[in-house]
Amino acid sequence: MARKKKQSRKYIPMNEFRFVHKKTYADHPQYVFGKTRSGKFKSLGLTHSPDDKHHVIKLSKNPNPNDKRTAYIGTNPHTIPEKDYENHSKTNWEFAKEDKPIVRHIIKDYKKRTNRKPKNWYVNKKNKKHSSS
């Protein structure tokens, strides 16, 4: 019997915009890019007014087609329970062609950070192997 392969993905990919109804997120829209096995969404926050506390990147065009104000996307992903989001996603929202690589880079960078082995992993593994012999 073949061994069952362990799933390596930390989350199931998604591609939608939703609002979070919590005071800490101040009803800002979020770009949801994944869902974990425990039922939480991975998302990036969108805002009109950047501040000094959060690192944001200016987008060339607002993802909301009805809003002409400048939009910014946060670079630090959030993990928020599904129950805190709206039940439905925004249907006609999308990133501009110029902004898609920026968003993709933020997500790839996040995946790289979270999937990486701990510091000195290989050295510690080698030391354990020699000490047990």
Side-chain angles (χ1 to χ4, degrees):
M1 190 165 134
R3 277 178 49 187
K4 189 174 179 181
K5 188 176 179 183
K6 184 181 175 190
Q7 184 182 6
S8 62
R9 280 193 173 156
K10 301 276 184 186
Y11 57 85
I12 300 159
M14 294 175 73
N15 181 19
E16 56 188 40
F17 293 89
R18 292 182 183 226
F19 276 93
V20 177
H21 295 301
K22 272 193 138 183
K23 281 186 180 179
T24 52
Y25 298 99
D27 282 333
H28 281 102
Q30 301 275 325
Y31 171 66
V32 180
F33 63 89
K35 182 179 181 178
T36 63
R37 285 182 231 132
S38 61
K40 293 182 179 180
F41 285 155
K42 299 278 187 181
S43 63
L44 297 168
L46 296 165
T47 186
H48 293 297
S49 53
D51 58 6
D52 294 335
K53 292 187 278 182
H54 303 95
H55 188 259
V56 293
I57 296 173
K58 185 177 180 180
L59 298 174
S60 63
K61 187 179 166 226
N62 198 322
N64 182 355
N66 302 328
D67 194 355
K68 300 296 177 209
R69 295 181 290 175
T70 306
Y72 299 86
I73 189 163
T75 57
N76 191 20
H78 306 284
T79 304
I80 308 169
E82 188 175 356
K83 64 180 174 66
D84 294 338
Y85 285 91
E86 277 186 345
N87 292 334
H88 59 283
S89 62
K90 301 296 173 194
T91 52
N92 55 354
W93 289 36
E94 66 179 358
F95 287 113
K97 190 177 180 181
E98 308 86 54
D99 297 331
K100 286 181 183 179
I102 295 168
V103 176
R104 197 176 313 121
H105 177 74
I106 293 170
I107 295 168
K108 273 190 163 185
D109 188 46
Y110 170 71
K111 284 165 68 173
K112 226 185 238 184
R113 285 192 320 248
T114 55
N115 291 335
R116 190 156 277 160
K117 299 263 189 240
K119 196 173 184 181
N120 296 328
W121 174 80
Y122 186 72
V123 175
N124 294 338
K125 180 183 174 189
K126 212 160 97 175
N127 290 340
K128 281 183 183 178
K129 197 175 198 181
H130 288 297
S131 64
S132 64
S133 299

